[in-house]
Amino acid sequence: KEQEQVGKFIEEYLFHRKEISLIIFLVDIRHNPTENDRLMYHYIISSGLPCLILANKADKIAKTKVDATVKNLQKQLNPLGDITTLPFSSERKVYQDDVWQFIEQFIELS
């Protein structure tokens, strides 16, 4: 019942909030997407809003495996490849430049 309530809240927020210019969907790079990840992804793509899939905790795996792991995550969540998937690490601040460059496309500077 609680999951149903959360689902309604998410739908309400994504479909009726006009101020959203980009959804950043965080997933853990170390694990395959869970059923909850897939459910959230479904809500996001149903909204029609721009999205960035952020594969967080990239510092927790070998640098040589990051690109392949990100591609694998994208294939699992977004087989069409029409949503950008980028690695990220908030702890070590690696990959930040690519992420900010992507986000800045959606920010209105006033």
Side-chain angles (χ1 to χ4, degrees), residues 47-64:
S47 75
L49 294 166
C51 177
L52 168 63
I53 300 172
L54 209 57
N56 198 21
K57 300 188 181 182
D59 60 299
K60 305 292 184 192
I61 63 172
K63 280 188 177 188
T64 57

Side-chain angles (χ1 to χ4, degrees), residues 52 54 86-88 95-104:
L52 168 63
L54 209 57
L86 295 173
F88 190 73
Y95 310 107
Q96 276 191 355
D97 292 340
D98 291 340
V99 172
W100 277 113
Q101 186 176 9
F102 185 87
I103 291 171
E104 286 172 352

Side-chain angles (χ1 to χ4, degrees), residues 64-80:
T64 57
K65 294 183 178 183
V66 170
D67 288 340
T69 306
V70 167
K71 285 179 186 175
N72 183 46
L73 274 171
Q74 182 159 26
K75 282 181 188 176
Q76 290 184 60
L77 281 173
N78 179 245
L80 293 177

Side-chain angles (χ1 to χ4, degrees), residues 1 4 21 27 43-44 59-60 63 67 75 80-81 107:
K1 187 172 181 171
E4 202 174 291
S21 57
V27 294
Y43 284 128
I44 291 167
D59 60 299
K60 305 292 184 192
K63 280 188 177 188
D67 288 340
K75 282 181 188 176
L80 293 177
I107 295 175

Side-chain angles (χ1 to χ4, degrees), residues 10-109:
I10 291 169
E11 283 182 13
E12 181 73 24
Y13 189 84
L14 291 179
F15 291 101
H16 299 290
R17 190 75 183 230
K18 302 296 180 209
E19 296 84 7
I20 299 173
S21 57
L22 175 68
I23 296 172
I24 300 175
F25 179 38
L26 291 175
V27 294
D28 191 326
I29 197 170
R30 302 171 298 173
H31 307 288
N32 288 326
T34 65
E35 281 307 310
N36 283 339
D37 290 334
R38 292 178 193 283
L39 181 61
M40 190 65 198
Y41 174 77
H42 175 72
Y43 284 128
I44 291 167
I45 61 166
S46 296
S47 75
L49 294 166
C51 177
L52 168 63
I53 300 172
L54 209 57
N56 198 21
K57 300 188 181 182
D59 60 299
K60 305 292 184 192
I61 63 172
K63 280 188 177 188
T64 57
K65 294 183 178 183
V66 170
D67 288 340
T69 306
V70 167
K71 285 179 186 175
N72 183 46
L73 274 171
Q74 182 159 26
K75 282 181 188 176
Q76 290 184 60
L77 281 173
N78 179 245
L80 293 177
D82 59 342
I83 296 177
T84 301
T85 303
L86 295 173
F88 190 73
S89 169
S90 59
E91 199 171 289
R92 291 203 187 148
K93 313 291 186 218
V94 292
Y95 310 107
Q96 276 191 355
D97 292 340
D98 291 340
V99 172
W100 277 113
Q101 186 176 9
F102 185 87
I103 291 171
E104 286 172 352
Q105 298 173 56
F106 296 90
I107 295 175
E108 283 188 38
L109 300 175

